[in-house]
Amino acid sequence: LSTVLAGVTTPELDIGRYVVADAAVLLTTVLDVKQSRETTFVVTDSGMRSFVRPMTTWGEQHGVSVLGRANAETTETVTVVGPACLPADVLARDAALPHVAPGDVLVVHSVGAYGLTLSPICWGSFGRTDERFL
């Protein structure tokens, strides 16, 4: 990509997702696990307030795993949701995970630069989430 201003070409680079490798993860804590209409919902403390990209019309499915159990056998297919009471607050659909329980930490993979910079910060009085760069 490049921009031309006053006859000068300035190169630009979007390092948001896959320029050189998968980038960034979102860590979110499981608050509850619920069953409704033959679907298991894993309710997390994150959701659209800290990672709205999966809810957009152009978003894509991101991989989800349980922190510390990367090699565990998957035992269930779940829908990972945020705490908002909106049907769109979904981080992942049909995610194959080992059994999860409140207190477990989920990892949403390849979130890139589209965490807080794209999300409605402090939306719905949930408060600001913590973003750290390591």
Side-chain angles (χ1 to χ4, degrees), residues 47-61:
M48 66 191 317
R49 71 185 181 109
S50 54
F51 188 51
V52 76
R53 189 165 179 263
M55 294 105 200
T56 63
T57 56
W58 49 269
E60 60 189 52
Q61 180 83 9

Side-chain angles (χ1 to χ4, degrees), residues 64-121:
V64 179
S65 62
V66 181
L67 186 66
R69 291 196 264 157
N71 296 323
E73 181 180 333
T74 58
T75 58
E76 54 193 346
T77 301
V78 301
T79 298
V80 181
V81 299
C85 60
L86 298 172
D89 194 10
V90 177
L91 286 169
R93 296 183 192 282
D94 300 323
L97 296 175
H99 176 75
V100 295
D104 286 340
V105 176
L106 299 185
V107 181
V108 182
H109 300 273
S110 302
V111 299
Y114 301 108
L116 290 182
T117 56
L118 180 66
S119 300
I121 300 169

Side-chain angles (χ1 to χ4, degrees), residues 5 12 14 19-20 24 28 30 34 37 40 42 46-47 49 59 65 72 74 80 86-87 89 94 107 122 133:
L5 294 174
E12 297 175 7
D14 175 8
V19 172
V20 294
T28 183
V30 175
K34 298 181 176 187
R37 299 182 184 177
T40 301
V42 176
S46 184
R49 71 185 181 109
S65 62
T74 58
V80 181
L86 298 172
D89 194 10
D94 300 323
V107 181
C122 297
F133 300 95

